[in-house]
Coordinates of all heavy atoms in Angstrom, one line a residue:
A38 N 153.6 122.3 13.3 CA 153.2 122.2 11.9 C 152.0 123.2 11.7 O 151.9 123.8 10.6 CB 152.9 120.8 11.6
L39 N 151.1 123.2 12.6 CA 150.0 124.2 12.5 C 150.5 125.6 12.4 O 150.1 126.3 11.5 CB 149.0 124.0 13.6 CG 147.9 125.0 13.7 CD1 147.0 124.9 12.4 CD2 147.1 124.9 14.9
L40 N 151.3 126.0 13.3 CA 151.8 127.4 13.3 C 152.6 127.7 12.0 O 152.6 128.8 11.6 CB 152.7 127.6 14.5 CG 152.0 127.5 15.9 CD1 153.0 127.7 17.0 CD2 150.8 128.5 16.0
D41 N 153.2 126.7 11.4 CA 153.9 126.9 10.1 C 152.9 127.4 9.0 O 153.3 128.0 8.0 CB 154.6 125.7 9.6 CG 155.9 125.4 10.4 OD1 156.4 126.4 11.1 OD2 156.4 124.3 10.3
T42 N 151.6 127.0 9.1 CA 150.6 127.4 8.1 C 150.0 128.8 8.5 O 149.2 129.3 7.6 CB 149.5 126.4 8.1 OG1 148.7 126.4 9.3 CG2 150.0 125.0 7.8
L43 N 150.3 129.4 9.6 CA 149.7 130.6 10.1 C 150.7 131.8 10.1 O 151.9 131.6 10.5 CB 149.2 130.4 11.5 CG 148.3 129.2 11.8 CD1 147.9 129.2 13.2 CD2 147.0 129.3 10.9
D44 N 150.2 132.9 9.7 CA 151.0 134.1 9.8 C 151.3 134.4 11.3 O 150.5 134.1 12.2 CB 150.2 135.3 9.3 CG 151.0 136.6 9.3 OD1 151.7 136.8 8.3 OD2 150.8 137.4 10.2
P45 N 152.5 134.9 11.6 CA 152.8 135.2 13.0 C 151.8 136.1 13.7 O 151.7 136.1 14.9 CB 154.2 135.8 13.0 CG 154.8 135.3 11.7 CD 153.7 135.2 10.8
Q46 N 151.1 136.9 13.0 CA 150.1 137.8 13.5 C 148.7 137.4 13.2 O 147.7 138.2 13.2 CB 150.3 139.2 13.0 CG 151.7 139.8 13.3 CD 152.0 139.8 14.7 OE1 151.2 140.2 15.6 NE2 153.2 139.3 15.1
V47 N 148.5 136.1 13.0 CA 147.2 135.5 12.7 C 146.1 135.9 13.7 O 146.3 136.1 14.8 CB 147.2 134.0 12.6 CG1 147.5 133.4 14.0 CG2 146.0 133.4 12.0
E48 N 144.9 136.1 13.1 CA 143.7 136.3 14.0 C 143.0 134.9 14.0 O 142.6 134.4 13.0 CB 142.7 137.3 13.3 CG 143.3 138.7 13.3 CD 142.3 139.7 12.7 OE1 141.5 139.3 11.8 OE2 142.3 140.8 13.2
W49 N 142.8 134.4 15.2 CA 142.2 133.1 15.5 C 140.9 133.4 16.2 O 140.8 133.7 17.4 CB 143.2 132.3 16.4 CG 142.9 130.9 16.6 CD1 142.4 130.3 17.7 CD2 143.3 129.9 15.7 NE1 142.4 128.9 17.5 CE2 142.9 128.6 16.3 CE3 143.8 129.8 14.4 CZ2 143.1 127.4 15.6 CZ3 144.0 128.6 13.8 CH2 143.7 127.4 14.4
V50 N 139.7 133.3 15.5 CA 138.5 133.8 15.9 C 137.5 132.6 16.2 O 137.2 131.8 15.4 CB 137.8 134.7 14.8 CG1 136.5 135.3 15.3 CG2 138.8 135.8 14.4
H51 N 136.9 132.7 17.4 CA 135.8 131.8 17.8 C 134.7 132.6 18.4 O 134.9 133.7 18.8 CB 136.4 130.8 18.9 CG 137.3 129.8 18.3 ND1 138.6 130.1 18.0 CD2 137.1 128.5 17.8 CE1 139.2 129.1 17.4 NE2 138.3 128.1 17.3
P52 N 133.5 132.0 18.3 CA 132.3 132.7 18.7 C 132.4 133.3 20.2 O 132.9 132.6 21.1 CB 131.1 131.7 18.7 CG 131.6 130.7 17.7 CD 133.1 130.6 17.9
D53 N 132.0 134.5 20.3 CA 132.0 135.1 21.7 C 131.2 134.3 22.7 O 131.5 134.4 23.9 CB 131.4 136.6 21.6 CG 132.4 137.5 20.9 OD1 133.6 137.3 20.9 OD2 131.9 138.5 20.4
G54 N 130.2 133.5 22.2 CA 129.4 132.7 23.1 C 130.2 131.6 23.9 O 129.7 131.0 24.8
M55 N 131.5 131.4 23.5 CA 132.4 130.5 24.1 C 133.3 131.1 25.2 O 134.1 130.5 25.8 CB 133.2 129.7 23.1 CG 132.3 128.9 22.1 SD 131.2 127.7 22.9 CE 132.4 126.5 23.5
A56 N 133.1 132.4 25.4 CA 134.0 133.2 26.3 C 134.0 132.6 27.7 O 135.0 132.6 28.4 CB 133.6 134.7 26.3
A57 N 132.9 132.1 28.2 CA 132.8 131.6 29.6 C 133.7 130.4 29.8 O 134.1 130.2 30.9 CB 131.3 131.2 29.9
Y58 N 134.1 129.8 28.7 CA 135.0 128.6 28.8 C 136.4 129.0 28.4 O 137.3 128.1 28.3 CB 134.5 127.5 27.9 CG 133.1 127.1 28.2 CD1 132.0 127.6 27.5 CD2 132.8 126.3 29.3 CE1 130.7 127.3 27.8 CE2 131.5 126.0 29.7 CZ 130.5 126.5 28.9 OH 129.2 126.2 29.2
G59 N 136.7 130.3 28.2 CA 138.0 130.7 27.8 C 138.3 130.4 26.3 O 139.5 130.5 25.9
L60 N 137.3 130.1 25.5 CA 137.5 129.7 24.1 C 136.9 130.7 23.1 O 137.0 130.5 21.9 CB 136.9 128.3 23.9 CG 137.4 127.2 24.7 CD1 136.7 125.9 24.4 CD2 138.9 127.0 24.5
G61 N 136.3 131.8 23.6 CA 135.6 132.7 22.7 C 136.4 133.9 22.4 O 137.4 134.2 23.1
G62 N 136.1 134.6 21.3 CA 136.7 135.9 20.9 C 137.9 135.6 20.0 O 138.1 134.6 19.5
T63 N 138.6 136.7 19.8 CA 139.7 136.7 18.9 C 141.1 136.6 19.6 O 141.3 137.4 20.5 CB 139.8 137.9 18.0 OG1 138.5 138.0 17.3 CG2 140.9 137.9 17.0
K64 N 141.8 135.6 19.3 CA 143.2 135.4 19.8 C 144.1 135.9 18.7 O 143.9 135.8 17.5 CB 143.5 133.9 20.1 CG 142.5 133.2 21.0 CD 142.4 133.8 22.3 CE 141.5 133.0 23.2 NZ 140.5 133.7 23.9
H65 N 145.2 136.5 19.1 CA 146.2 137.1 18.2 C 147.5 136.5 18.2 O 148.1 136.2 19.2 CB 146.3 138.6 18.5 CG 145.0 139.4 18.3 ND1 144.6 139.9 17.1 CD2 144.1 139.7 19.2 CE1 143.4 140.5 17.2 NE2 143.1 140.4 18.5
G66 N 148.0 136.2 17.0 CA 149.4 135.7 16.8 C 149.5 134.2 17.3 O 148.6 133.6 17.8
H67 N 150.7 133.7 17.1 CA 151.0 132.4 17.4 C 150.8 132.1 18.9 O 150.3 131.1 19.3 CB 152.5 132.0 17.0 CG 152.6 131.8 15.6 ND1 153.8 131.5 15.0 CD2 151.8 131.9 14.5 CE1 153.7 131.4 13.7 NE2 152.5 131.7 13.4
A68 N 151.2 133.1 19.8 CA 151.0 133.0 21.2 C 149.5 132.8 21.5 O 149.1 132.0 22.4 CB 151.6 134.2 21.9
G69 N 148.6 133.6 20.8 CA 147.2 133.5 21.1 C 146.7 132.1 20.7 O 145.8 131.5 21.4
V70 N 147.2 131.5 19.6 CA 146.8 130.2 19.1 C 147.2 129.2 20.1 O 146.4 128.3 20.5 CB 147.3 129.9 17.7 CG1 147.0 128.4 17.3 CG2 146.7 130.9 16.7
R71 N 148.5 129.3 20.6 CA 149.0 128.3 21.6 C 148.1 128.4 22.9 O 147.8 127.4 23.4 CB 150.4 128.6 21.9 CG 151.4 128.1 21.0 CD 152.8 128.2 21.5 NE 153.8 128.2 20.5 CZ 154.4 129.3 19.9 NH1 154.0 130.5 20.4 NH2 155.2 129.1 18.9
E72 N 147.8 129.6 23.3 CA 147.0 129.8 24.5 C 145.6 129.1 24.3 O 145.1 128.4 25.2 CB 146.8 131.3 24.8 CG 145.8 131.6 25.9 CD 145.5 133.1 25.9 OE1 146.2 133.9 25.4 OE2 144.4 133.4 26.4
F73 N 145.0 129.4 23.2 CA 143.7 128.7 22.9 C 143.8 127.2 22.9 O 143.0 126.6 23.6 CB 143.2 129.2 21.5 CG 141.9 128.5 21.1 CD1 140.7 129.0 21.5 CD2 142.0 127.4 20.3 CE1 139.5 128.3 21.1 CE2 140.8 126.7 19.9 CZ 139.6 127.2 20.3
L74 N 144.8 126.7 22.2 CA 144.9 125.2 22.1 C 145.2 124.6 23.5 O 144.8 123.5 23.8 CB 146.0 124.8 21.1 CG 145.7 125.2 19.7 CD1 146.9 124.9 18.8 CD2 144.5 124.4 19.2
S75 N 145.9 125.3 24.3 CA 146.3 124.8 25.7 C 145.0 124.8 26.6 O 144.9 124.1 27.5 CB 147.4 125.6 26.3 OG 147.0 126.9 26.7
R76 N 144.1 125.7 26.3 CA 142.8 125.8 27.1 C 141.8 124.7 26.8 O 141.1 124.2 27.6 CB 142.2 127.2 26.8 CG 140.9 127.4 27.5 CD 141.1 127.8 29.0 NE 139.8 128.0 29.6 CZ 139.4 127.4 30.7 NH1 140.2 126.6 31.3 NH2 138.2 127.6 31.2
V77 N 141.8 124.2 25.5 CA 140.8 123.2 25.1 C 140.8 122.0 26.0 O 139.7 121.6 26.4 CB 141.1 122.8 23.6 CG1 140.2 121.7 23.2 CG2 140.8 124.1 22.7
P78 N 141.9 121.3 26.4 CA 141.8 120.1 27.2 C 141.2 120.3 28.6 O 140.7 119.4 29.2 CB 143.3 119.7 27.3 CG 144.0 120.3 26.2 CD 143.3 121.6 25.9
S79 N 141.2 121.5 29.1 CA 140.6 121.8 30.4 C 139.0 121.9 30.2 O 138.3 121.8 31.2 CB 141.1 123.1 31.0 OG 140.7 124.2 30.3
V80 N 138.5 122.0 29.0 CA 137.1 122.1 28.8 C 136.5 120.9 28.1 O 135.4 120.6 28.3 CB 136.9 123.4 27.9 CG1 135.4 123.6 27.6 CG2 137.4 124.7 28.6
L81 N 137.3 120.2 27.3 CA 136.8 119.1 26.5 C 137.7 117.8 26.8 O 138.9 117.9 27.1 CB 136.9 119.4 25.0 CG 136.0 120.5 24.5 CD1 136.3 120.8 23.1 CD2 134.5 120.2 24.7
G82 N 137.0 116.7 26.7 CA 137.8 115.4 26.9 C 138.4 115.0 25.6 O 139.4 114.2 25.6
G83 N 138.0 115.6 24.5 CA 138.6 115.3 23.2 C 137.8 115.9 22.0 O 136.7 116.3 22.2
M84 N 138.5 116.1 20.9 CA 137.9 116.6 19.7 C 138.7 116.2 18.5 O 139.9 116.2 18.5 CB 137.8 118.1 19.8 CG 137.1 118.7 18.6 SD 136.7 120.5 18.7 CE 138.3 121.2 19.1
R85 N 137.9 115.8 17.5 CA 138.5 115.4 16.2 C 137.8 116.1 15.1 O 136.6 116.0 15.0 CB 138.4 113.9 16.0 CG 139.0 113.4 14.7 CD 138.8 111.9 14.6 NE 139.1 111.4 13.3 CZ 140.3 110.8 13.0 NH1 141.2 110.6 13.9 NH2 140.5 110.4 11.8
L86 N 138.5 116.9 14.3 CA 138.0 117.6 13.2 C 137.9 116.7 11.9 O 138.9 116.0 11.6 CB 138.8 118.8 12.9 CG 138.9 119.9 13.9 CD1 139.9 121.0 13.5 CD2 137.5 120.5 14.3
E87 N 136.8 116.8 11.2 CA 136.6 116.0 10.0 C 136.2 117.0 8.9 O 135.0 117.1 8.7 CB 135.6 114.9 10.2 CG 136.1 113.9 11.2 CD 135.1 112.8 11.4 OE1 134.1 112.6 10.6 OE2 135.2 112.1 12.5
P88 N 137.1 117.6 8.2 CA 136.7 118.5 7.1 C 136.1 117.7 6.0 O 136.6 116.6 5.7 CB 138.0 119.2 6.7 CG 139.1 118.3 7.2 CD 138.5 117.6 8.4
Q89 N 135.0 118.1 5.4 CA 134.3 117.4 4.4 C 134.3 118.0 3.0 O 134.2 117.4 2.0 CB 132.9 117.1 4.9 CG 132.8 116.2 6.1 CD 131.4 116.0 6.7 OE1 130.6 116.9 6.6 NE2 131.2 114.8 7.2
E90 N 134.2 119.4 3.0 CA 134.2 120.1 1.8 C 135.0 121.4 1.9 O 134.9 122.1 2.9 CB 132.7 120.4 1.4 CG 132.6 121.1 0.1 CD 131.1 121.4 -0.3 OE1 130.2 120.9 0.4 OE2 130.9 122.1 -1.3
F91 N 135.8 121.6 0.9 CA 136.6 122.8 0.8 C 136.2 123.7 -0.4 O 136.0 123.1 -1.5 CB 138.1 122.5 0.5 CG 138.8 121.7 1.7 CD1 138.5 120.4 2.0 CD2 139.7 122.4 2.5 CE1 139.1 119.7 3.0 CE2 140.4 121.7 3.5 CZ 140.0 120.4 3.8
V92 N 135.9 124.9 -0.1 CA 135.5 125.9 -1.2 C 136.6 127.0 -1.2 O 136.7 127.7 -0.2 CB 134.1 126.5 -1.0 CG1 133.7 127.4 -2.1 CG2 133.1 125.3 -0.8
A93 N 137.3 127.1 -2.4 CA 138.3 128.1 -2.5 C 138.0 129.1 -3.5 O 137.5 128.8 -4.6 CB 139.6 127.4 -2.8
D94 N 138.2 130.4 -3.2 CA 138.0 131.5 -4.1 C 139.0 132.6 -3.8 O 138.9 133.3 -2.8 CB 136.6 132.1 -4.0 CG 136.3 133.1 -5.1 OD1 137.0 133.1 -6.1 OD2 135.2 133.8 -5.0

Side-chain angles (χ1 to χ4, degrees):
L39 173 63
L40 295 178
D41 284 345
T42 67
L43 307 177
D44 184 84
Q46 301 305 314
V47 67
E48 292 181 327
W49 192 256
V50 184
H51 288 80
D53 288 336
M55 298 303 290
Y58 304 99
L60 301 177
T63 302
K64 308 297 187 230
H65 296 276
H67 287 181
V70 173
R71 278 191 204 96
E72 173 192 336
F73 175 86
L74 294 174
S75 69
R76 178 79 179 126
V77 172
S79 67
V80 177
L81 298 173
M84 182 169 51
R85 179 181 170 103
L86 298 175
E87 297 177 16
Q89 297 175 323
E90 183 178 353
F91 294 71
V92 180
D94 189 13

